[in-house]
């Protein structure tokens, strides 16, 4: 059973790991945002590490990262069952809306945040402007960085415009329309979060040279000192999202 690594959401420092959970399900979505659920006994070793707001990864598979958003205790007498739920780390995009540039910033914007380019360029534009390097410092997510852009950029060419929409929805819509994927991975060696973009892979039988798509933080590199080389079994759900299940 793979360990759950736990990290501080403000510093990306490793806090410890949890092995004695009952079940862990992390459903990853290539273009949207997946969910996670952890069920455990409140008395198990390391239970205190799992707190709402903290970031977890499935072992040292840094691209399989989530942030815990809620917890529930079983109210039955004598029960010690605790359930934590969360979303993939890229769900942090839901904390931002697409505030258009002012007339002073861009006289031609006409109240919209507009961009034209390949899908990767468009997605990176909105991620950069509203999370990584926003004009208002308080809207910046300090740990978040963009991976180096591909050359040439990935995804089909498209114009896009938005105003006061939820950023997560915008990024997911761009990814779906332009046939690209996106993720926010833990870059543990650098204590950062890394927004990545990937192309689809041909996984049909006999295609030994399927393109990698890039953009995923490599598994098994930079694992916390003393942490095990955890395995990460997974299955494919019907919509193409990857679901990790451990019991």
């Amino acid at each position: 059973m793979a360990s759950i690594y736990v990290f501080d959401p403000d510093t990306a420092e490793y806090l410890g790991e949890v092995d004695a959970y009952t079940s862990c399900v992390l459903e990853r979505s290539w273009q949207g945002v997946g969910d996670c659920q952890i069920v455990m006994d409140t008395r198990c070793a390391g239970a205190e590490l799992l707190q709402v707001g903290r970031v977890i990864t499935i072992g040292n598979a840094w691209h399989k990262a989530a942030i815990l958003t809620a917890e529930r205790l079983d109210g039955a007498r004598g029960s010690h069952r605790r359930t934590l739920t969360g979303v993939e780390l890229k769900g942090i995009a839901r904390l931002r809306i697409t505030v258009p540039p002012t007339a002073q910033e861009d006289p031609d914007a006409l109240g919209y945040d507009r961009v034209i380019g390949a899908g990767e360029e468009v997605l990176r534009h909105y991620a950069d402007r509203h999370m990584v390097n926003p004009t208002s410092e308080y809207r910046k997510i300090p740990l978040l960085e963009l991976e180096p852009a591909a050359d040439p950029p990935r995804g089909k060419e498209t114009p896009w415009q938005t105003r006061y929409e939820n950023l997560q929805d915008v990024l997911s819509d761009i990814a779906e329309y332009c046939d690209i994927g996106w993720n926010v991975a833990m870059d543990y060696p650098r204590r950062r979060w890394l927004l990545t973009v990937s192309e689809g892979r041909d996984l049909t039988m006999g295609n030994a040279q399927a393109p990698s798509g890039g953009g995923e933080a490599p598994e098994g590199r930079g694992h916390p000192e003393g942490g095990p080389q955890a395995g990460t079994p997974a299955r494919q759900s019907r919509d193409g999202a990857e679901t990790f299940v451990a019991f």
Side-chain angles (χ1 to χ4, degrees):
M1 185 164 64
S3 298
I4 299 173
Y5 288 1
V6 186
F7 300 88
D8 187 292
D10 298 317
T11 63
E13 288 295 338
Y14 172 69
L15 300 175
E17 63 190 72
V18 180
D19 298 305
Y21 53 87
T22 304
S23 68
C24 175
V25 177
L26 173 60
E27 181 174 353
R28 300 179 62 225
S29 175
W30 188 49
Q31 296 172 327
V33 175
D35 302 312
C36 77
Q37 181 187 80
I38 302 169
V39 178
M40 65 191 312
D41 190 303
T42 57
R43 300 165 297 179
C44 80
E48 73 285 352
L49 291 172
L50 293 173
Q51 299 179 19
V52 171
R54 287 184 173 175
V55 174
I56 65 167
T57 63
I58 305 302
N60 54 359
W62 305 129
H63 59 291
K64 297 179 179 179
I67 186 165
L68 301 176
T69 58
E71 71 172 311
R72 183 180 72 255
L73 297 175
D74 191 330
R77 177 174 295 184
S79 174
H80 296 277
R81 180 186 174 95
R82 179 190 186 203
T83 302
L84 295 111
T85 55
V87 296
E88 284 188 279
L89 185 53
K90 59 180 170 177
I92 57 174
R94 183 156 289 280
L95 302 176
R96 298 291 181 266
I97 61 172
T98 55
V99 179
T102 64
Q104 290 74 26
E105 292 171 334
D106 185 354
D108 299 322
L110 302 178
Y112 283 87
D113 188 350
R114 307 173 191 265
V115 64
I116 299 176
E120 180 175 7
E121 293 176 303
V122 173
L123 190 147
R124 288 169 58 91
H125 165 83
Y126 291 119
D128 185 67
R129 191 174 187 281
H130 300 290
M131 294 192 292
V132 180
N133 292 298
T135 53
S136 299
E137 187 66 21
Y138 74 90
R139 300 183 71 229
K140 181 181 178 70
I141 297 179
L143 294 180
L144 186 62
E145 296 181 354
L146 301 177
E147 70 167 344
D151 185 16
R154 295 161 284 200
K156 67 181 179 182
E157 191 90 3
T158 184
W160 208 276
Q161 66 178 26
T162 176
R163 56 178 278 125
Y164 300 112
E165 295 180 278
N166 186 274
L167 180 61
Q168 176 183 305
D169 295 337
V170 171
L171 299 183
S172 295
D173 288 346
I174 293 168
E176 183 175 354
Y177 181 76
C178 296
D179 196 25
I180 54 176
W182 67 291
N183 192 28
V184 173
M186 170 72 72
D187 187 349
Y188 177 71
R190 299 176 56 245
R191 308 301 194 273
R192 291 290 184 270
W193 301 342
L194 190 65
L195 189 144
T196 66
V197 176
S198 58
E199 289 182 307
R201 293 181 292 171
D202 182 359
L203 299 179
T204 55
M205 290 184 64
N207 181 32
Q209 299 300 323
S212 65
E216 295 284 310
E219 180 178 338
R221 295 181 58 188
H223 63 282
E225 184 176 355
Q229 296 289 337
T232 53
R235 63 178 173 85
Q236 289 294 122
S237 62
R238 287 178 298 176
D239 64 358
E242 182 185 24
T243 304
F244 167 87
V245 182
F247 295 94

Short mmCIF file of all heavy atoms in Angstrom, two decimals, residues 172-197:
data_model
loop_
_atom_site.label_atom_id
_atom_site.label_comp_id
_atom_site.label_asym_id
_atom_site.label_seq_id
_atom_site.Cartn_x
_atom_site.Cartn_y
_atom_site.Cartn_z
N SER A 172 -10.17 24.66 -17.75
CA SER A 172 -10.71 23.36 -18.17
C SER A 172 -11.36 23.47 -19.55
O SER A 172 -11.22 22.57 -20.39
CB SER A 172 -11.72 22.85 -17.15
OG SER A 172 -11.08 22.59 -15.90
N ASP A 173 -12.08 24.56 -19.80
CA ASP A 173 -12.72 24.76 -21.11
C ASP A 173 -11.68 24.90 -22.22
O ASP A 173 -11.83 24.35 -23.31
CB ASP A 173 -13.62 25.99 -21.08
CG ASP A 173 -14.89 25.78 -20.27
OD1 ASP A 173 -15.20 24.62 -19.95
OD2 ASP A 173 -15.56 26.78 -19.95
N ILE A 174 -10.61 25.63 -21.94
CA ILE A 174 -9.54 25.80 -22.93
C ILE A 174 -8.90 24.45 -23.23
O ILE A 174 -8.68 24.09 -24.40
CB ILE A 174 -8.47 26.79 -22.42
CG1 ILE A 174 -9.06 28.19 -22.30
CG2 ILE A 174 -7.24 26.79 -23.33
CD1 ILE A 174 -8.18 29.16 -21.54
N ALA A 175 -8.60 23.69 -22.19
CA ALA A 175 -7.98 22.38 -22.37
C ALA A 175 -8.86 21.47 -23.20
O ALA A 175 -8.38 20.78 -24.12
CB ALA A 175 -7.68 21.75 -21.01
N GLU A 176 -10.15 21.46 -22.92
CA GLU A 176 -11.07 20.59 -23.67
C GLU A 176 -11.18 21.02 -25.12
O GLU A 176 -11.13 20.19 -26.03
CB GLU A 176 -12.44 20.60 -23.00
CG GLU A 176 -13.43 19.66 -23.66
CD GLU A 176 -14.75 19.59 -22.92
OE1 GLU A 176 -14.86 20.18 -21.82
OE2 GLU A 176 -15.67 18.94 -23.44
N TYR A 177 -11.31 22.31 -25.35
CA TYR A 177 -11.48 22.81 -26.72
C TYR A 177 -10.21 22.60 -27.56
O TYR A 177 -10.28 22.27 -28.75
CB TYR A 177 -11.84 24.29 -26.70
CG TYR A 177 -12.06 24.88 -28.06
CD1 TYR A 177 -13.23 24.64 -28.77
CD2 TYR A 177 -11.07 25.68 -28.67
CE1 TYR A 177 -13.42 25.17 -30.04
CE2 TYR A 177 -11.26 26.20 -29.93
CZ TYR A 177 -12.43 25.94 -30.61
OH TYR A 177 -12.61 26.47 -31.87
N CYS A 178 -9.05 22.77 -26.92
CA CYS A 178 -7.78 22.70 -27.66
C CYS A 178 -7.12 21.33 -27.58
O CYS A 178 -6.01 21.15 -28.08
CB CYS A 178 -6.82 23.77 -27.13
SG CYS A 178 -7.40 25.45 -27.40
N ASP A 179 -7.79 20.36 -26.92
CA ASP A 179 -7.32 18.99 -26.84
C ASP A 179 -5.94 18.90 -26.18
O ASP A 179 -5.01 18.27 -26.70
CB ASP A 179 -7.29 18.34 -28.22
CG ASP A 179 -7.19 16.81 -28.13
OD1 ASP A 179 -7.61 16.26 -27.10
OD2 ASP A 179 -6.68 16.19 -29.07
N ILE A 180 -5.81 19.55 -25.04
CA ILE A 180 -4.60 19.45 -24.23
C ILE A 180 -5.02 19.16 -22.80
O ILE A 180 -6.18 19.33 -22.42
CB ILE A 180 -3.75 20.75 -24.27
CG1 ILE A 180 -4.60 21.97 -23.87
CG2 ILE A 180 -3.12 20.95 -25.64
CD1 ILE A 180 -3.84 23.28 -23.79
N GLY A 181 -4.06 18.71 -21.99
CA GLY A 181 -4.32 18.50 -20.58
C GLY A 181 -3.52 19.48 -19.74
O GLY A 181 -2.57 20.10 -20.23
N TRP A 182 -3.89 19.62 -18.48
CA TRP A 182 -3.15 20.51 -17.58
C TRP A 182 -3.17 19.92 -16.18
O TRP A 182 -4.03 19.13 -15.82
CB TRP A 182 -3.71 21.93 -17.61
CG TRP A 182 -5.10 22.07 -17.04
CD1 TRP A 182 -6.26 21.58 -17.56
CD2 TRP A 182 -5.46 22.73 -15.82
NE1 TRP A 182 -7.33 21.90 -16.76
CE2 TRP A 182 -6.88 22.62 -15.69
CE3 TRP A 182 -4.75 23.42 -14.84
CZ2 TRP A 182 -7.58 23.16 -14.61
CZ3 TRP A 182 -5.44 23.97 -13.77
CH2 TRP A 182 -6.84 23.83 -13.66
N ASN A 183 -2.19 20.31 -15.40
CA ASN A 183 -2.06 19.78 -14.05
C ASN A 183 -1.25 20.76 -13.22
O ASN A 183 -0.56 21.63 -13.75
CB ASN A 183 -1.36 18.41 -14.09
CG ASN A 183 -1.45 17.68 -12.76
OD1 ASN A 183 -2.40 17.88 -12.00
ND2 ASN A 183 -0.48 16.84 -12.46
N VAL A 184 -1.35 20.61 -11.91
CA VAL A 184 -0.43 21.29 -10.99
C VAL A 184 0.24 20.19 -10.17
O VAL A 184 -0.43 19.47 -9.42
CB VAL A 184 -1.14 22.30 -10.09
CG1 VAL A 184 -0.16 22.84 -9.04
CG2 VAL A 184 -1.71 23.45 -10.91
N ALA A 185 1.54 20.03 -10.36
CA ALA A 185 2.31 18.98 -9.70
C ALA A 185 3.13 19.57 -8.55
O ALA A 185 3.46 20.76 -8.55
CB ALA A 185 3.24 18.30 -10.70
N MET A 186 3.47 18.73 -7.62
CA MET A 186 4.40 19.12 -6.55
C MET A 186 5.83 19.04 -7.10
O MET A 186 6.24 17.99 -7.59
CB MET A 186 4.24 18.19 -5.35
CG MET A 186 5.30 18.35 -4.29
SD MET A 186 5.15 19.87 -3.35
CE MET A 186 3.69 19.51 -2.37
N ASP A 187 6.55 20.13 -7.05
CA ASP A 187 7.97 20.13 -7.41
C ASP A 187 8.74 20.14 -6.09
O ASP A 187 9.24 21.17 -5.66
CB ASP A 187 8.30 21.35 -8.26
CG ASP A 187 9.72 21.32 -8.80
OD1 ASP A 187 10.52 20.47 -8.35
OD2 ASP A 187 10.05 22.16 -9.66
N TYR A 188 8.81 18.97 -5.46
CA TYR A 188 9.34 18.92 -4.10
C TYR A 188 10.81 19.36 -3.99
O TYR A 188 11.15 20.10 -3.06
CB TYR A 188 9.17 17.52 -3.49
CG TYR A 188 9.77 17.43 -2.12
CD1 TYR A 188 9.17 18.07 -1.04
CD2 TYR A 188 10.96 16.74 -1.90
CE1 TYR A 188 9.73 18.01 0.22
CE2 TYR A 188 11.52 16.69 -0.64
CZ TYR A 188 10.90 17.32 0.42
OH TYR A 188 11.47 17.29 1.67
N PRO A 189 11.70 18.95 -4.89
CA PRO A 189 13.10 19.39 -4.73
C PRO A 189 13.26 20.91 -4.67
O PRO A 189 14.16 21.42 -4.00
CB PRO A 189 13.79 18.80 -5.97
CG PRO A 189 12.96 17.61 -6.32
CD PRO A 189 11.55 18.01 -6.01
N ARG A 190 12.36 21.64 -5.35
CA ARG A 190 12.45 23.10 -5.36
C ARG A 190 11.43 23.75 -4.42
O ARG A 190 11.35 24.98 -4.34
CB ARG A 190 12.24 23.62 -6.79
CG ARG A 190 13.29 23.10 -7.76
CD ARG A 190 13.02 23.55 -9.19
NE ARG A 190 12.91 24.99 -9.29
CZ ARG A 190 11.79 25.63 -9.63
NH1 ARG A 190 10.68 24.96 -9.88
NH2 ARG A 190 11.78 26.95 -9.71
N ARG A 191 10.65 22.93 -3.73
CA ARG A 191 9.61 23.42 -2.82
C ARG A 191 8.67 24.38 -3.54
O ARG A 191 8.37 25.48 -3.07
CB ARG A 191 10.22 24.10 -1.59
CG ARG A 191 11.26 23.30 -0.84
CD ARG A 191 10.71 21.97 -0.32
NE ARG A 191 11.61 21.36 0.66
CZ ARG A 191 12.62 20.56 0.35
NH1 ARG A 191 12.87 20.26 -0.91
NH2 ARG A 191 13.39 20.06 1.31
N ARG A 192 8.19 23.93 -4.69
CA ARG A 192 7.27 24.73 -5.50
C ARG A 192 6.15 23.84 -6.03
O ARG A 192 6.22 22.63 -6.00
CB ARG A 192 8.00 25.39 -6.67
CG ARG A 192 8.98 26.48 -6.29
CD ARG A 192 8.26 27.72 -5.78
NE ARG A 192 9.17 28.82 -5.48
CZ ARG A 192 9.74 29.03 -4.30
NH1 ARG A 192 9.50 28.18 -3.29
NH2 ARG A 192 10.54 30.05 -4.10
N TRP A 193 5.10 24.49 -6.54
CA TRP A 193 4.07 23.81 -7.30
C TRP A 193 4.25 24.21 -8.77
O TRP A 193 4.53 25.38 -9.07
CB TRP A 193 2.68 24.24 -6.85
CG TRP A 193 2.39 23.99 -5.40
CD1 TRP A 193 3.05 23.15 -4.55
CD2 TRP A 193 1.35 24.60 -4.63
NE1 TRP A 193 2.49 23.18 -3.30
CE2 TRP A 193 1.44 24.07 -3.31
CE3 TRP A 193 0.36 25.53 -4.90
CZ2 TRP A 193 0.57 24.45 -2.29
CZ3 TRP A 193 -0.52 25.90 -3.89
CH2 TRP A 193 -0.41 25.36 -2.60
N LEU A 194 4.10 23.25 -9.66
CA LEU A 194 4.40 23.49 -11.07
C LEU A 194 3.18 23.22 -11.94
O LEU A 194 2.68 22.10 -11.97
CB LEU A 194 5.56 22.59 -11.50
CG LEU A 194 6.18 22.88 -12.88
CD1 LEU A 194 6.85 24.25 -12.88
CD2 LEU A 194 7.19 21.80 -13.24
N LEU A 195 2.70 24.26 -12.63
CA LEU A 195 1.60 24.08 -13.56
C LEU A 195 2.15 23.57 -14.88
O LEU A 195 3.06 24.17 -15.46
CB LEU A 195 0.84 25.39 -13.77
CG LEU A 195 -0.46 25.26 -14.57
CD1 LEU A 195 -1.53 26.21 -14.03
CD2 LEU A 195 -0.26 25.50 -16.06
N THR A 196 1.63 22.44 -15.32
CA THR A 196 2.13 21.76 -16.51
C THR A 196 1.04 21.63 -17.56
O THR A 196 -0.16 21.63 -17.25
CB THR A 196 2.67 20.36 -16.16
OG1 THR A 196 1.58 19.54 -15.72
CG2 THR A 196 3.72 20.43 -15.06
N VAL A 197 1.46 21.51 -18.80
CA VAL A 197 0.55 21.29 -19.92
C VAL A 197 1.02 20.04 -20.66
O VAL A 197 2.23 19.79 -20.77
CB VAL A 197 0.54 22.50 -20.89
CG1 VAL A 197 -0.34 22.22 -22.10
CG2 VAL A 197 0.05 23.75 -20.15
#
